[in-house]
Amino acid sequence: MRIERIELIHIRMPLVGAFRTSFGIDLVRDTFLLRVLTSDGGQGWGEYGGDPDPAYSSEFSAGTEIVLAEHLIPRLDREVTAARVGPAVRGVKGHRMAKAVLETAILDAELRSYGMPLRTYLGSVVDRVPAGVSVGIMDTIPQLLEQVGAYLEAGYVRIKLKIEPGWDVLPVRAVREAFGDDVPLQVDANTAYSLTDARHLRRLDEFGLLLIEQPLDTDDLSGHARLAGLIDTPVCLDESIGSARDAAAAIAMGACSIINIKPSRVGGYLEARRIHDVAAAAGVPVWCGGMLETGVGRAANLALAALPGFVLPGDTSASNRYYAEDLTEPFVLDADGCVAVPTGTGIGVTPDPQVLERYTVARRRLL
Ligand code: OSB
Ligand code: MG
């Protein structure tokens, strides 16, 4: 496969509601798509998982654009496959989100050229995956209960509450009291706590949570291992896991007993698959996280979430949880709380040109 051209399409998509986490509040998804054109007339798409600000991760859109244009793309052979992207860009330290979007667009083009769906390439074993939903921090408990109630009504099979100091035990207790002990419930702190909060976090033990996601700093594996020994709620890592090697180390030192795999965070679907394999070998459950992706990123995440080790529901919600109008055919939540894995070749979806145009704020040719 020969790459002819690479375009960056900067988009701004309004969210259906504000999404607040311990690190910030989002009203729009401000990101970009990468479109790879091949010399035989094929194309491939990828969605950047980062944000304009380096708040969730150290990467951010404007920096990523420079990294792609000046450091990653120039290292690629025009004659390329997805498997060759990682080795080609090894000399660039970090920047996994930048590498992920590039590798994914190339992988999509490659798979389309073979007529193979991403789910077949990755080794998916199911056609539909159970969907959870991530619920942002709210101003009041009644607002939270209304939102959670609506998601349960819609059919979501698992609720994840974003927490931070001052918004943790109370919202969890309120959700338990309103909806009962049988609702699969978990929390995500996005690094908002420190080890000295262990006694406070122990108060979450009584609520039978599935897990607590990323309570401590990104680079604090040993802190997570110590915390895991102090609380009953299973510790799950998100931000801390950037690679299969990180996953192996975290598992070996007891820093987590569950892993949230986000392809964008770990450098793409090939590394995501390796993390899945490492976790499966250790008997560690994984689930597929999200970055509020449009249909482009969501389609590929669903293919990954259909691998056998993904035994917990992911943040693979339906399009309308995020956007009034998606860039692709919308992903819908079936009555049993599942979302279908795309069957088409490559990632299985292509953005609607007219819709994409409406949300495009800039275009730039990178190659
Ligand atoms: O920590 O999982 C996270 C969204 C943006 C950045 C980080 C996170 C999230 C979510 C929502 O929790 C996941 C989704 O529904 O896409
Ligand atoms: Mg998280």
Side-chain angles (χ1 to χ4, degrees), residues 116-186:
M116 180 186 283
L118 177 61
R119 65 175 188 174
T120 308
Y121 176 81
L122 291 174
S124 309
V125 293
V126 292
D127 300 331
R128 302 161 70 249
V129 295
V133 61
S134 177
V135 187
I137 295 166
M138 307 269 166
D139 292 331
T140 67
I141 296 285
Q143 261 181 300
L144 174 73
L145 295 179
E146 189 187 319
Q147 184 66 262
V148 170
Y151 288 143
L152 290 173
E153 188 67 33
Y156 286 105
V157 302
R158 181 226 73 189
I159 300 292
K160 161 168 139 182
L161 302 182
K162 289 291 190 178
I163 59 167
E164 66 183 3
W167 183 265
D168 43 34
V169 177
L170 253 52
V172 169
R173 177 179 294 129
V175 168
R176 276 288 181 241
E177 280 172 5
F179 304 105
D181 292 338
D182 293 340
V183 173
L185 186 63
Q186 64 193 52

Side-chain angles (χ1 to χ4, degrees), residues 225-303:
R226 289 171 68 190
L227 180 67
L230 296 170
I231 63 176
D232 292 338
T233 308
V235 172
C236 169
L237 291 175
D238 172 354
E239 284 91 330
S240 291
I241 306 298
S243 65
R245 188 190 289 131
D246 286 348
I251 293 167
M253 66 197 280
C256 66
S257 51
I258 300 171
I259 294 174
N260 166 346
I261 303 184
K262 282 182 191 165
S264 56
R265 190 193 68 224
V266 305
Y269 290 85
L270 277 65
E271 190 70 7
R273 165 84 219 206
R274 289 178 206 118
I275 295 175
H276 162 274
D277 295 349
V278 162
V284 166
V286 302
W287 54 281
C288 183
M291 294 296 288
L292 314 177
E293 285 90 347
T294 73
V296 174
R298 188 160 309 282
N301 285 350
L302 285 163

